[in-house]
Amino acid sequence: WFLLALVFSGGAGLLGYNIVQSAVAGIPVVVVKKDVGPLEVIPADAVAVETRPKAAVPEDAVKSVEEVVGKYTRTGLVPDMILQRSMIAGNPAEGVAGIDAKLQELSKQAGKPLRAFALELNSAQGYRIVHPNQRVDIVAHVQSSSIDQAGVLVPNVTVLAKVDKQDQSSGGSSGGIMGGSSDKNKNNGGAPEGVVVLALTPEDAARVLMAKDLGTISLVPRAVGDDKVDAVPLVSSTDLLRPVVPQENPASAKEQAGDETPQNAVPKGGANTR
């Protein structure tokens, strides 16, 4: 009986050991190595194969980098994330579905319905310096027979996605995510390099579209955490010849005013107040 007990206990121990080893055994999967925004092409240096415990690997985890390099993301990717097939798309149109949740979230935060507005831009218009999830100001320079002004058209706008143009020689199409005007005379800096998708209200989208037809649209990135929406006066062509008056920082002016106390000031209540 003693020998039988030893045999059964040894078998139970071996079975438990095998179960534990199976749970923690390493499985090669594709892991994200650097940030990739939604609707962006996945470069080769953004992913790598690493070994992860079986228990932590999703069912649809990607096992080879060849499956994802050159394809588009549906949502943003962050380092150390195990890449899943549901996160990638074969083309930009498939990846558009990935920004829907972000658009709904922003609409809820703003308390008003927002739309995904696609805008073709080149490097001179800020295409290379903007990134998904970044806040930007939309600056317009509008020219017509009766107006010549520039200024912030729509402040504090979220960039939903950014899609590089695959064929730089093409002039764009009339529809789809790559659609829109490609007037090279208006887009100073050459042909559009890609499309930036912005979260705009229908009214702001109409204003941007009209300003784009009358002049040039550019995106200006805001500092991280800068959510202030201040009124910015438009600049006309005649204002260029006027001298710029330096604006004093209100906080600094207040501190200086508090430090300037007259030397002969008498305390309230008289000189003999104790």
Side-chain angles (χ1 to χ4, degrees), residues 53-133:
K54 181 179 179 180
V57 175
E59 292 184 1
D60 65 338
V62 180
K63 304 297 179 58
S64 172
V65 295
E66 287 76 14
E67 297 182 47
V68 297
V69 172
K71 293 187 178 181
Y72 291 83
T73 59
R74 293 182 184 272
T75 59
L77 306 180
V78 296
D80 295 329
M81 173 189 293
I82 296 178
L83 196 57
Q84 300 171 247
R85 291 184 177 85
S86 58
M87 299 177 181
I88 60 176
N91 55 64
E94 293 179 13
V96 170
I99 67 175
D100 184 62
K102 183 64 176 179
L103 192 61
Q104 292 184 21
E105 177 187 347
L106 293 173
S107 297
K108 185 179 297 184
Q109 293 176 1
K112 51 189 174 183
L114 300 177
R115 303 289 187 266
F117 183 81
L119 185 65
E120 279 190 331
L121 298 173
N122 56 40
S123 58
Q125 296 171 289
Y127 180 78
R128 295 189 181 184
I129 60 175
V130 299
H131 304 283
N133 300 320

Side-chain angles (χ1 to χ4, degrees), residues 33-227:
K33 305 304 294 182
K34 71 176 186 179
D35 292 325
V36 182
L39 291 184
E40 288 190 343
V41 177
I42 302 177
D45 61 345
V47 290
V49 175
E50 293 185 0
T51 301
R52 293 295 172 90
K54 181 179 179 180
V57 175
E59 292 184 1
D60 65 338
V62 180
K63 304 297 179 58
S64 172
V65 295
E66 287 76 14
E67 297 182 47
V68 297
V69 172
K71 293 187 178 181
Y72 291 83
T73 59
R74 293 182 184 272
T75 59
L77 306 180
V78 296
D80 295 329
M81 173 189 293
I82 296 178
L83 196 57
Q84 300 171 247
R85 291 184 177 85
S86 58
M87 299 177 181
I88 60 176
N91 55 64
E94 293 179 13
V96 170
I99 67 175
D100 184 62
K102 183 64 176 179
L103 192 61
Q104 292 184 21
E105 177 187 347
L106 293 173
S107 297
K108 185 179 297 184
Q109 293 176 1
K112 51 189 174 183
L114 300 177
R115 303 289 187 266
F117 183 81
L119 185 65
E120 279 190 331
L121 298 173
N122 56 40
S123 58
Q125 296 171 289
Y127 180 78
R128 295 189 181 184
I129 60 175
V130 299
H131 304 283
N133 300 320
Q134 191 176 30
R135 293 276 182 166
V136 299
D137 289 342
I138 302 178
V139 178
H141 179 202
V142 178
Q143 292 177 298
S144 67
S145 58
S146 60
I147 186 174
D148 185 2
Q149 289 185 323
V152 177
L153 186 64
V154 186
N156 200 25
V157 174
T158 299
V159 177
L160 293 174
K162 178 180 176 182
V163 183
D164 293 331
K165 203 165 188 176
Q166 297 301 304
D167 185 5
Q168 296 294 333
S169 61
S170 64
S173 60
S174 58
I177 193 170
M178 297 301 294
S181 173
S182 59
D183 190 344
K184 297 182 182 180
N185 294 327
K186 292 180 180 179
N187 297 337
N188 297 327
E193 296 187 17
V195 170
V196 174
V197 184
L198 305 172
L200 295 176
T201 63
E203 295 79 9
D204 286 337
R207 296 177 65 213
V208 172
L209 185 61
M210 183 175 293
K212 185 173 183 289
D213 290 337
L214 295 176
T216 303
I217 294 292
S218 299
L219 300 184
V220 181
R222 299 170 69 100
V224 178
D226 180 10
D227 294 329

Side-chain angles (χ1 to χ4, degrees), residues 261-267:
T261 304
Q263 297 180 358
N264 56 353
V266 179

